[in-house]
């Protein structure tokens, strides 16, 4: 269970308690003075709405430089020195609309815009500073932070709610075990532990729901972002099973997606479609989340692979898959996310419609193994093997954004009619000083 408390100091604690089992109160506190709904609404601002994130907040208390709780943030990219070695990357994640991404490092965190690529701001701490999870809330100043690395900024069992406009934490959630991941909506905070998931109301951090899962060290969880309908997907209690929570209708659906353990999954923005892959990494399956119907199955390859990420395009026409084979695949989807009860095949008369390639022997699929009737990707992009990559679709038509744990940023374009290799439009190493703008 989690303990909830208001964050008393307006600045990060330079010496967080590393003891993860010292939580004095295992029950969430319902009477929180952390932040009210009105206050939170007032604090939400776009990160693009003010140009100087490094300017002090005139309404925050004045903290002298000698204060032991004061951490000097390096907020302007131009302030970084070229002699400083690049930080170690601990975490990468896109925001909810894939227009930005966040990077957690052993010194703090950074926020980048995808198109055009540029560093928006960073927070580097002078002591400790390791951030193992940083989750954005669209493009606003509220983030969720969890410590990480060899010298974590915060305990690994705490979620810190950070207001970057004030450069301080406005709340925290404490747990008895390490936090594996955090997901944010405008109205909810979802915290994922290895075998439990907690759902909180964002306005007052009140615990609304808790879910038990099979061992989930990777913190797998996905939530819809549609207004008024919350769909949450997590591992079930059995190998290969996913659990789908429809909070609007108060329904729970269990789907046996694979025979092997679930390795990765992704949800469309509206929560209607779910893509899953197993630890084998050869097949990706697309399900209707409402009734659990298998709608489509596509093949990444024949040999075992570790799937790093799955991503739907905003209109659910395409699905991108990244793996440890150093490739990103784009598949054509034949289902209509807008009609979950009556999913339709893609319209072949549409000039942008591209059918997924199949084997030339698919006409005798009832005789030959299933491999020969598989649907293959319409486009691929080859990367350097050995580094995990996550992928999302860009805001420009038929573009894909790829982020690597080696600091690489790719923006690529694919032609759904011709297929084949994607065209690289842009490349940056966002960890190097010259990559800042």
């Amino acid at each position: 269970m989690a303990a909830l408390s208001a964050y008393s100091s307006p600045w990060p604690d330079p010496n967080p308690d590393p003891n993860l089992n010292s939580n004095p109160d295992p029950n969430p506190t319902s009477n929180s003075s952390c932040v009210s709904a009105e206050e939170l609404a007032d604090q939400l601002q776009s990160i693009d709405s003010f140009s100087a994130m490094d300017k002090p907040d005139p309404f925050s208390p004045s903290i002298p430089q000698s204060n032991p709780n004061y951490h000097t943030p390096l907020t302007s990219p131009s302030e970084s020195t070229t002699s400083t070695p690049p930080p170690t990357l601990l975490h990468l994640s896109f925001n909810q609309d894939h227009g930005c991404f966040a990077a957690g490092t052993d010194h703090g965190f950074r926020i980048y815009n995808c198109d055009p690529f540029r560093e928006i701001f960073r927070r580097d701490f002078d002591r400790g500073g390791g951030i193992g999870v940083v989750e954005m809330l669209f493009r606003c100043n509220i983030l969720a932070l969890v410590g990480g690395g060899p010298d974590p900024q915060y305990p690994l069992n705490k979620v810190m709610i950070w207001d970057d406009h004030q450069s301080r934490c406005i709340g925290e959630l404490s747990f008895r075990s390490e936090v594996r991941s955090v997901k944010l909506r405008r109205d909810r905070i979802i915290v994922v532990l290895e075998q439990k998931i907690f759902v909180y109301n964002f306005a007052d951090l009140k615990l609304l729901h808790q879910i038990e899962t099979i061992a989930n060290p990777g913190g797998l969880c996905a939530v819809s972002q549609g207004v008024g309908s919350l769909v949450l997907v997590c591992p079930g209690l059995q190998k290969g099973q996913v659990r789908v929570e429809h909070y609007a209708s108060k329904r729970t659906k269990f789907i046996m997606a694979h025979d092997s353990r679930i390795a990765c999954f992704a949800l469309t923005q509206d929560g209607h479609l779910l893509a899953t892959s197993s630890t084998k990494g050869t097949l990706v399956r697309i399900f209707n989340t409402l009734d659990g119907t298998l709608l489509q199955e596509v093949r990444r390859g024949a040999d075992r692979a570790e799937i790093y990420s799955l991503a739907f395009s905003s209109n659910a026409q395409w699905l991108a898959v990244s793996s440890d084979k150093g490739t990103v695949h784009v598949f054509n989807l034949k289902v209509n996310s807008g009609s979950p009860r009556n999913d339709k095949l893609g319209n072949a008369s549409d000039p942008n419609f591209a059918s997924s390639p199949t084997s030339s022997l698919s006409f005798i699929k009832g005789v030959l193994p299933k491999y020969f009737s598989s649907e293959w990707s319409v486009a691929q992009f080859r990367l350097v093997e050995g580094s995990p990559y996550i992928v999302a679709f860009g805001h420009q038509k038929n573009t894909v954004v790829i982020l690597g744990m080696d600091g690489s940023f790719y923006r690529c374009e694919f032609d759904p009619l011709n297929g084949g290799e994607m065209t690289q439009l842009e490349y940056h190493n966002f960890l190097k000083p010259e990559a800042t703008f």
Side-chain angles (χ1 to χ4, degrees), residues 37 40-41 44-46 95-97 135-142 183-190 200-205 223-230 269:
L40 181 62
L44 292 180
Q45 300 185 38
S46 167
N95 72 339
Q96 289 81 356
D97 65 5
E135 183 74 7
M136 299 179 66
L137 180 60
F138 290 93
R139 300 180 70 89
C140 78
N141 52 298
I142 302 295
K183 303 296 178 183
L184 297 182
R185 279 173 49 104
R186 297 187 191 278
D187 56 353
R188 296 290 184 268
I189 301 175
I190 295 93
Y200 295 90
N201 187 45
F202 209 141
D204 55 12
L205 303 188
V223 294
S224 66
Q225 296 296 332
V227 177
S229 63
L230 170 57
Q269 292 276 35

Side-chain angles (χ1 to χ4, degrees), residues 194-327:
E194 182 154 351
Q195 291 187 295
K196 283 189 177 182
I197 293 177
F198 297 90
V199 180
Y200 295 90
N201 187 45
F202 209 141
D204 55 12
L205 303 188
K206 180 181 179 181
L207 179 64
L208 302 177
H209 191 206
Q210 63 180 24
I211 303 170
E212 292 189 7
T213 70
I214 196 171
N216 183 20
L220 296 179
C221 184
V223 294
S224 66
Q225 296 296 332
V227 177
S229 63
L230 170 57
V231 179
L232 181 150
V233 177
C234 63
L237 289 171
Q238 302 178 39
K239 180 179 67 174
Q241 183 187 69
V242 290
R243 174 173 178 162
V244 183
E245 291 288 337
H246 293 271
Y247 285 94
S249 59
K250 299 181 180 179
R251 295 179 57 188
T252 302
K253 182 66 181 178
F254 292 93
I255 302 173
M256 285 303 304
H258 300 273
D259 294 331
S260 305
R261 284 182 173 270
I262 301 296
C264 190
F265 51 68
L267 197 61
T268 52
Q269 292 276 35
D270 58 16
H272 290 163
L273 299 181
L274 170 69
T276 68
S277 66
S278 73
T279 51
K280 289 184 178 180
T282 54
L283 297 173
V284 178
R285 291 175 175 148
I286 295 90
F287 296 90
N288 180 327
T289 60
L290 192 62
D291 57 17
T293 303
L294 175 62
L295 302 174
Q296 191 175 349
E297 181 179 272
V298 298
R299 181 174 289 276
R300 182 214 54 82
D303 53 342
R304 183 182 291 267
E306 181 180 356
I307 302 298
Y308 290 135
S309 74
L310 301 170
F312 286 96
S313 62
S314 59
N315 61 359
Q317 182 181 3
W318 311 106
L319 178 73
V321 181
S322 65
S323 74
D324 65 348
K325 298 301 181 180
T327 55

Side-chain angles (χ1 to χ4, degrees), residues 111-154:
I111 304 297
Y112 298 85
N113 192 69
C114 291
D115 186 16
F117 173 80
R118 63 186 177 94
E119 181 179 307
I120 299 176
F121 65 88
R122 67 174 66 179
R123 295 290 178 259
D124 288 343
F125 302 111
D126 58 356
R127 291 185 295 276
I131 299 296
V133 175
V134 50
E135 183 74 7
M136 299 179 66
L137 180 60
F138 290 93
R139 300 180 70 89
C140 78
N141 52 298
I142 302 295
L143 304 98
L145 305 178
V146 180
D151 195 4
Q153 178 70 9
Y154 308 110

